Amino acid sequence: MTVKIGLLGLGTVGTGTVEILQEPQGRSPLLKAIEIKAVGVRSLDKPRQVNLPPEVLTTDLETIVTDPDIAIVVELMGGLEPARSLILQAIAHKKHIVTANKAVIARYGPEIYEAANQHGVYVLLEAAVGGGIPIIKPLKQSLGGNRIESIVGILNGTTNYILSRMTSEGADFDEVLTAAQQLGYAEADPSADVDGLDAADKIAILASLGFGGRVKREDVACEGIRSVSAVDIAYADRLGFVIKLLAIADGNAGENSEALQLRVHPTLIAKAHPLASVNGVYNGVLVTGDPLGQVMFYGRGAGAGPTASAVVSDVINIVGIITSSDENPALDPLLSCTHQHYCQVSSIEDLVTRFYCRFLCADVPGVIGHLGMGFGNHGVSLESLVQIGFTDGCAEIVVVTHDVREGDYRAALEEISQLEAVKEIPSVIRVLS
Ligand code: NAP
Ligand code: HSE
């Protein structure tokens, strides 16, 4: 039996996917059952890295999602529209969906999954989070016996690549971003990577799977890496930390223990922490569950081959079901999604965490005392306070706090920023507790 598939998109991931499908030797025998019937692109004139018969390529993507011969639509075009509409149209035509599009799923997941359940088709998205790392299926299936307590991940390859090279080589931000784009890691608009939006999409998806409810994308507090400077990376190093863009879903971090904390931000993590050594385009996801404890997933988080590996694994899953079952099998609950309620999410103000903060102050007597007083007035306890150097004639003072409620910390910073001796507060970075 042959299963015909249609691809929407033949860019970085689409090309990697076709390469695997065209070279089935030594891979899953199910690959031999797959035929690429059509591939939708924007331009027919673009040179392609894979050989496909010219009649397979089309710019009319609607013919793919409505083609009665096609059983699986693989959406690898990215962006919100027309990707969302094409996915919904394909579902309405009873096609299974495989997608790498975390932006669409994080925003329109409920609409898409409701349509999929109604039409009895699967929407699989292993490639949408963690590139080649298997993390969706483990959360849906292998960890199902656990009560998930937290998911902490380096989920964006582009920013991890940038921060790693800034740390190891002192490389310049813009130069490294260009390299990440050339390597095919970055989104079409790389601000989605750099501003943390892509990682926020991904943690919204993982949280929904791990904590068993829908998650509103806007509930994820999000800061990117534009504010992370070489100076902070160097101070972090001296204090025994590295700086990573972490995406966190925590069932225990807020004052309201019933609610989830969802956030993406640059974070100081101790050099001994398992995520500290996840460098370059690699992603790492540390899941803590009861009774398992910690389990870590690690691998290449972006790029053609690794992402295509995840895409093809989803295609194979569906091909396996299609080729081995009767006409209209019931949906497997371990592969489909039936969440109805939304997870309760607490405000970032209620987060309890440690903070690193760098101050530029006038070098006058008593300034450290004033800083200590400002923090003390809001119940913020300090773990360390060091004056290391001078920048632009100002004393550079670095403070690391003990655990503190974020709202109280921000109130202390507001009071401190009014002090005459405090000239600037260039960076405030959370520290993983
Ligand atoms: P890409 O290189 O920009 O490729 C996009 C492809 O879609 C191109 O072939 C483009 O056609 C086609 N396309 C886009 N808009 C179209 C439209 N309106 N009509 C027809 N064709 C259209 O993107 P990518 O890096 O492969 O990413 C694809 C998806 O995978 C995105 O959702 C992304 O977030 C996700 N993803 C990417 C990676 C990665 O490492 N790159 C990893 C994980 C997930 P042309 O070729 O004619 O321009
Ligand atoms: N732009 C994304 C990243 C692609 O850098 O992680 C993988 O989802």
Side-chain angles (χ1 to χ4, degrees):
M1 179 181 183
T2 300
V3 177
K4 295 194 169 111
I5 70 169
L7 268 65
L8 309 180
L10 188 60
T12 302
V13 184
T15 301
T17 300
V18 172
E19 278 171 353
I20 296 178
L21 296 175
Q22 288 183 335
E23 298 268 331
Q25 298 81 358
R27 301 186 166 125
S28 165
L30 287 169
L31 288 179
K32 297 199 172 113
I34 300 168
E35 179 188 326
I36 301 173
K37 166 117 195 260
V39 178
V41 292
R42 211 166 7 209
S43 158
L44 292 177
D45 302 328
K46 226 183 205 179
R48 304 288 168 184
Q49 289 163 34
V50 282
N51 284 325
L52 285 163
E55 66 276 12
V56 166
L57 287 183
T58 177
T59 55
D60 185 355
L61 276 59
E62 280 201 22
T63 60
I64 300 178
V65 298
T66 57
D67 184 336
D69 282 353
I70 287 178
I72 305 172
V73 168
V74 183
E75 187 274 303
L76 303 173
M77 58 195 295
L80 296 181
E81 286 293 356
R84 169 188 155 274
S85 301
L86 288 166
I87 288 172
L88 288 170
Q89 213 178 341
I91 290 171
H93 284 80
K94 290 188 108 11
K95 284 152 204 355
H96 301 287
I97 305 292
V98 172
T99 180
N101 195 331
K102 53 272 170 164
V104 157
I105 296 296
R107 287 165 186 77
Y108 302 111
E111 180 186 24
I112 288 170
Y113 281 106
E114 264 167 34
N117 293 338
Q118 192 189 332
H119 289 92
V121 295
Y122 294 106
V123 177
L124 301 190
L125 66 156
E126 190 60 72
V129 184
I133 303 175
I135 180 66
I136 301 287
K137 212 169 175 199
L139 275 175
K140 274 185 180 175
Q141 302 188 5
S142 326
L143 298 176
N146 285 270
R147 194 174 297 116
I148 301 299
E149 293 167 357
S150 66
I151 303 171
V152 181
I154 294 173
L155 295 181
N156 184 269
T158 302
T159 46
N160 202 43
Y161 178 81
I162 293 172
L163 290 174
S164 300
R165 287 197 50 194
M166 284 173 76
T167 304
S168 62
E169 303 163 29
D172 172 66
F173 179 94
D174 292 322
E175 172 202 325
V176 194
L177 174 58
T178 305
Q181 287 174 293
Q182 284 162 354
L183 287 162
Y185 303 156
E187 295 302 305
D189 175 0
S191 63
D193 299 294
V194 171
D195 294 322
L197 312 176
D198 175 76
D201 292 345
K202 291 167 175 170
I203 198 66
I205 293 169
L206 294 189
S208 169
L209 296 173
F211 293 92
R214 293 177 178 176
V215 168
K216 291 185 191 140
R217 171 58 181 76
E218 63 268 26
D219 281 344
V220 184
C222 182
E223 286 167 30
I225 64 162
R226 286 184 204 270
S227 62
V228 177
S229 68
V231 177
D232 293 312
I233 289 174
Y235 276 131
D237 180 54
R238 288 170 74 158
L239 294 165
F241 297 101
V242 291
I243 300 182
K244 296 287 185 190
L245 183 73
L246 290 192
I248 300 174
D250 196 338
N252 300 314
E255 288 212 318
N256 174 359
S257 61
E258 294 296 300
L260 276 180
Q261 269 288 347
L262 296 174
R263 52 205 170 91
V264 170
H265 49 71
T267 314
L268 267 73
I269 57 180
K271 286 179 183 173
H273 190 279
L275 290 170
S277 50
V278 175
N279 287 315
V281 73
Y282 282 81
N283 283 190
V285 192
L286 191 63
V287 180
T288 306
D290 172 30
L292 174 66
Q294 288 191 328
V295 59
M296 180 147 148
F297 300 82
Y298 171 78
R300 285 179 199 271
T307 312
S309 152
V311 169
V312 173
S313 79
D314 280 346
V315 174
I316 290 170
N317 260 284
I318 298 171
V319 170
I321 292 167
I322 293 174
T323 54
S324 66
S325 62
D326 53 16
E327 199 71 339
N328 283 312
L331 286 179
D332 178 346
L334 290 176
L335 284 178
S336 59
C337 176
T338 51
H339 294 154
Q340 295 296 330
H341 75 282
Y342 281 89
C343 292
Q344 196 193 343
V345 178
S346 71
S347 151
I348 192 86
E349 292 279 292
D350 289 330
L351 170 68
V352 176
T353 187
R354 290 152 74 206
F355 281 91
Y356 157 102
C357 187
R358 183 160 58 90
F359 297 90
L360 295 181
C361 300
D363 191 24
V364 293
V367 66
I368 287 183
H370 289 308
L371 286 183
M373 184 89 75
F375 281 123
N377 288 345
H378 295 272
V380 180
S381 160
L382 304 187
E383 181 181 294
S384 63
L385 186 154
V386 279
Q387 178 177 342
I388 301 180
F390 284 89
T391 298
D392 300 332
C394 287
E396 199 155 40
I397 297 170
V398 169
V399 173
V400 178
T401 71
H402 287 295
D403 270 345
V404 54
R405 185 182 161 275
E406 174 140 357
D408 297 338
Y409 186 74
R410 297 283 171 190
L413 278 191
E414 178 55 32
E415 181 179 322
I416 289 168
S417 69
Q418 307 299 324
L419 295 173
E420 205 187 324
V422 174
K423 302 302 174 198
E424 199 186 334
I425 307 178
S427 26
V428 179
I429 306 178
R430 295 174 190 85
V431 180
L432 193 65
S433 295

Coordinates of all heavy atoms in Angstrom, one line a residue, residues 100 102 127-131 155-159 184-187 193 198 202 281 283 301-303 307, ligand 2:
A100 N 5.7 21.5 11.7 CA 6.9 22.0 12.5 C 6.6 23.4 13.0 O 7.4 24.1 13.6 CB 8.1 22.0 11.7
K102 N 5.4 25.8 15.3 CA 5.0 26.1 16.7 C 4.3 27.4 16.9 O 3.4 27.5 17.8 CB 6.3 26.1 17.6 CG 7.4 27.1 17.2 CD 8.3 26.4 16.3 CE 9.3 27.4 15.7 NZ 10.4 26.7 15.1
A127 N 8.4 18.0 15.5 CA 9.4 19.0 15.0 C 9.3 20.4 15.5 O 10.2 21.2 15.4 CB 9.5 19.0 13.5
A128 N 8.1 20.7 16.1 CA 7.8 22.1 16.5 C 8.6 22.5 17.7 O 8.8 23.7 17.9 CB 6.3 22.2 16.7
V129 N 9.0 21.5 18.5 CA 9.7 21.8 19.7 C 11.0 21.0 19.8 O 11.0 19.8 19.7 CB 8.9 21.6 21.0 CG1 9.6 22.0 22.3 CG2 7.5 22.3 20.9
G130 N 12.1 21.7 20.0 CA 13.4 21.0 20.2 C 14.0 20.4 19.0 O 14.9 19.5 19.1
G131 N 13.6 20.8 17.8 CA 14.2 20.3 16.5 C 14.1 18.8 16.5 O 13.1 18.2 16.5
L155 N 15.3 26.1 24.5 CA 14.4 25.6 23.4 C 14.6 26.4 22.1 O 13.9 26.1 21.1 CB 12.9 25.8 23.8 CG 12.5 24.9 25.0 CD1 11.0 25.1 25.3 CD2 12.7 23.4 24.7
N156 N 15.5 27.3 22.1 CA 15.8 28.0 20.8 C 17.2 27.9 20.4 O 18.1 28.3 21.1 CB 15.4 29.5 21.0 CG 15.5 30.2 19.7 OD1 16.6 30.8 19.4 ND2 14.5 30.2 18.8
G157 N 17.5 27.2 19.3 CA 18.8 26.9 18.8 C 19.6 28.2 18.5 O 20.8 28.3 18.7
T158 N 18.9 29.1 17.8 CA 19.5 30.4 17.4 C 20.1 31.2 18.5 O 21.3 31.6 18.5 CB 18.5 31.2 16.6 OG1 18.0 30.5 15.5 CG2 19.1 32.5 16.1
T159 N 19.3 31.4 19.6 CA 19.8 32.2 20.7 C 20.8 31.4 21.5 O 21.8 32.0 22.0 CB 18.6 32.6 21.6 OG1 17.8 31.5 21.8 CG2 17.8 33.7 21.0
G184 N 20.7 28.1 8.6 CA 19.3 27.7 8.6 C 18.6 27.5 9.9 O 17.6 26.8 10.0
Y185 N 19.2 28.1 11.0 CA 18.6 27.9 12.3 C 17.5 28.9 12.6 O 16.5 28.6 13.3 CB 19.7 28.1 13.4 CG 20.9 27.2 13.4 CD1 22.1 27.5 14.0 CD2 20.8 25.9 12.7 CE1 23.2 26.7 13.9 CE2 21.9 25.1 12.6 CZ 23.1 25.5 13.2 OH 24.2 24.7 13.2
A186 N 17.7 30.1 12.1 CA 16.8 31.2 12.5 C 15.5 31.2 11.8 O 15.4 30.7 10.7 CB 17.5 32.6 12.2
E187 N 14.5 31.8 12.4 CA 13.2 32.0 11.8 C 13.3 33.0 10.6 O 14.3 33.8 10.6 CB 12.2 32.5 12.8 CG 11.9 31.5 13.9 CD 11.4 30.1 13.4 OE1 10.4 30.1 12.7 OE2 12.0 29.1 13.8
D193 N 13.3 34.7 17.2 CA 14.3 33.9 18.0 C 14.8 34.9 19.1 O 14.8 34.6 20.3 CB 15.4 33.5 17.1 CG 15.0 32.5 16.0 OD1 14.5 31.4 16.4 OD2 15.1 32.9 14.9
D198 N 9.8 32.6 19.9 CA 9.8 31.3 19.4 C 9.9 30.3 20.7 O 9.2 29.3 20.7 CB 11.0 31.1 18.5 CG 11.2 29.6 18.1 OD1 10.5 29.2 17.2 OD2 12.1 28.9 18.6
K202 N 7.1 27.5 22.1 CA 7.5 26.1 22.4 C 7.1 25.7 23.8 O 6.6 24.6 24.1 CB 9.0 25.9 22.1 CG 9.3 26.0 20.6 CD 10.8 26.1 20.4 CE 11.1 26.0 18.9 NZ 12.6 26.4 18.7
V281 N 23.9 25.1 18.8 CA 22.5 24.9 18.3 C 21.8 23.8 19.1 O 20.6 23.6 18.9 CB 22.5 24.6 16.8 CG1 23.0 23.1 16.6 CG2 21.1 24.8 16.2
N283 N 19.7 22.0 21.9 CA 18.7 22.3 22.9 C 18.7 21.2 24.0 O 19.3 20.1 23.8 CB 17.3 22.2 22.3 CG 16.9 23.3 21.4 OD1 15.8 23.5 21.0 ND2 17.8 24.2 21.1
G301 N 18.7 21.3 18.2 CA 17.4 21.9 18.3 C 16.9 22.6 17.0 O 15.8 23.2 17.0
A302 N 17.7 22.7 16.0 CA 17.3 23.4 14.7 C 18.2 22.8 13.6 O 19.2 22.1 13.8 CB 17.5 24.9 14.9
G303 N 17.9 23.3 12.4 CA 18.6 22.8 11.2 C 17.9 21.8 10.4 O 17.0 21.1 10.9
T307 N 15.7 18.6 12.2 CA 14.2 18.9 12.3 C 13.5 17.9 11.4 O 12.4 17.4 11.7 CB 14.0 20.3 11.9 OG1 14.9 21.2 12.6 CG2 12.6 20.8 12.1
Ligands
HSE2 N1 14.5 29.2 14.9 C1 14.3 28.0 15.7 C2 15.5 27.9 16.6 C3 14.2 26.8 14.8 O1 16.5 28.6 16.4 O2 15.4 27.1 17.6 C4 13.9 25.5 15.6 O3 12.6 25.6 16.1

